[in-house]
Amino acid sequence: MPRHSDFARFHALLSAKPRILLVCGAGLSASSGLPTFRGAGGLWREYSAVDLATPEAFEQDPGLVWLFYAYRRHMSMKANPNRGHHALAALAQKYDNVFCVSQNVDGLLEKADYPLEKLRKIHGCLYGLKCFNEDCDWRASNSTDDPLWPILAPASADVDSTNPIPLLDPAHPAPKISWDEIPKCPKCGAEEEYGLQRPDIVWFGEPMDDHVVRDVEEWIDGGVDIVLSIGTSEVVNTAASFLYHARSNGAIYVNVNLDAALPHHLGNLDQDDFAFAGDAMELLPKLFEPIIGDV
Ligand SMILES: [Zn+2]
């Protein structure tokens, strides 16, 4: 077995009670059946995520952007955590020296009972709401109503490959939801034109939440022995910067990704680093088996 994919060598590290940072991306949730809408083929209707996941898109057509997020929210509510999520949740429940940064907005780690105090979601969450007025700090963890509001019902129709819903078919016009139909922010919406409720998601071109970034940086500064990159493409700048920060502080790097064995990824490894190529759902239970037992 190549040294970089040696489970026994990884397990030996765990016996020294290392501080472990987990950096999770879309690959963790892929086996739960959630599309990411990033990259080639990731279209929703005729739009790419970049067309819809911006403040400019929301200002132009908040109803369309809300339908896109309502659809993703509905799909996430129906999805179940996979064995990868359960393995990380078990690790964080049984082991103190672990902290997780997730790029995922799907809520599946929470659904697997991952402890919230050891989790920071740098891109927000499909279940949160905030105000579109930048000067307003209103936020809410929304209900589990599905649809969230009656106007978003077209996004909550059940769908499978044999029963596509009209909302997903670009040949059908998308339902038109006007600016006035979007629920207002309860704090400023009566006075402010931009006081609309919007998804609590970090859109393209928007900064991360300062508090979230600071929490992660402080945890890294407390010392990281092992940093795992799990299903991330590492092209998202903030996630890449956390990995870089941990590695430059001396952490051993563990790449858990479908393409981890490709030459350019292996070339990125230092002597003591690891690369496990495959599905996080299969790999994570094996990697942490000495701590979590049989998940
Ligand atoms: Zn507001």
Side-chain angles (χ1 to χ4, degrees), residues 25-97:
L28 175 62
S29 293
S31 291
S32 291
L34 291 177
T36 65
F37 300 105
R38 278 181 190 258
L43 291 181
W44 184 80
R45 295 180 56 89
E46 64 273 44
Y47 307 100
S48 74
V50 187
D51 294 330
L52 295 171
T54 67
E56 292 77 16
F58 189 84
E59 184 170 350
Q60 191 179 352
D61 192 343
L64 181 69
V65 172
W66 254 121
L67 285 167
F68 172 59
Y69 282 99
Y71 172 73
R72 295 182 60 186
R73 179 180 180 276
H74 173 71
M75 295 297 284
S76 292
M77 287 179 87
K78 292 204 317 176
N80 291 313
N82 63 53
R83 292 178 66 232
H85 298 104
H86 286 298
L88 296 184
L91 174 69
Q93 287 162 9
K94 294 180 180 182
Y95 187 73
D96 279 338
N97 292 333

Side-chain angles (χ1 to χ4, degrees), residues 63 66-67 147-155 175-178 180-183:
W66 254 121
L67 285 167
L148 173 61
W149 306 313
I151 52 168
L152 298 176
K176 194 70 194 146
I177 300 172
S178 71
D180 294 335
E181 291 176 275
I182 309 286

